[in-house]
Amino acid sequence: MAFAREDVNFENIKREADVETLVKNMVQTNNMIAYLKDEQFEMRNEIKRHDETISKLKDDIQLLEKEKRWNMLWRNRLDANIDKTQIVLVILFLFNVLFTFFMSR
């Protein structure tokens, strides 16, 4: 009754409360959007770092494959040189044996 005499409009109070609640919700929503944007930015940076790491690993793998091929070629070349050296040594040994045999007669 006292409110009615003082011309208090409950509809205006209700609208103001609704507007205040909406403003609070908007602020919370804006804060959440800002937080999610920060998270998205961090995730993008992390994805970029992972992509860079993957790229570096792929480069390392290619280098290792090239090095492996080089090592295989080097090893094949060494094996061929060892085989040739062994053949030369066997021939020299046989020549030495034959030479010693004919010299002793």
Side-chain angles (χ1 to χ4, degrees), residues 9-94:
N9 189 349
F10 288 109
E11 286 298 317
N12 286 341
I13 293 172
K14 185 178 177 188
R15 278 189 219 131
E16 287 176 11
D18 288 345
V19 167
E20 190 175 318
T21 304
L22 283 173
V23 168
K24 285 181 182 176
N25 285 339
M26 290 295 290
V27 168
Q28 288 176 348
T29 303
N30 286 341
N31 289 341
M32 183 59 75
I33 288 171
Y35 172 76
L36 291 174
K37 283 183 179 179
D38 289 343
E39 287 292 317
Q40 184 181 23
F41 182 74
E42 288 178 18
M43 289 176 135
R44 283 183 183 159
N45 285 341
E46 190 171 336
I47 288 171
K48 286 179 184 176
R49 284 192 300 271
H50 285 292
D51 289 344
E52 289 172 359
T53 303
I54 289 171
S55 176
K56 288 178 184 177
L57 288 173
K58 284 181 180 178
D59 291 344
D60 289 346
I61 288 171
Q62 287 178 348
L63 287 174
L64 287 172
E65 286 175 350
K66 287 179 184 177
E67 186 176 330
K68 181 181 176 183
R69 277 185 252 138
W70 173 255
N71 285 341
M72 289 176 65
L73 289 172
W74 181 252
R75 183 176 178 189
N76 289 342
R77 188 181 238 174
L78 283 176
D79 288 344
N81 287 341
I82 289 171
D83 291 343
K84 289 176 185 175
T85 305
Q86 286 176 342
I87 291 170
V88 168
L89 288 175
V90 167
I91 291 171
L92 287 174
F93 176 75
L94 289 175

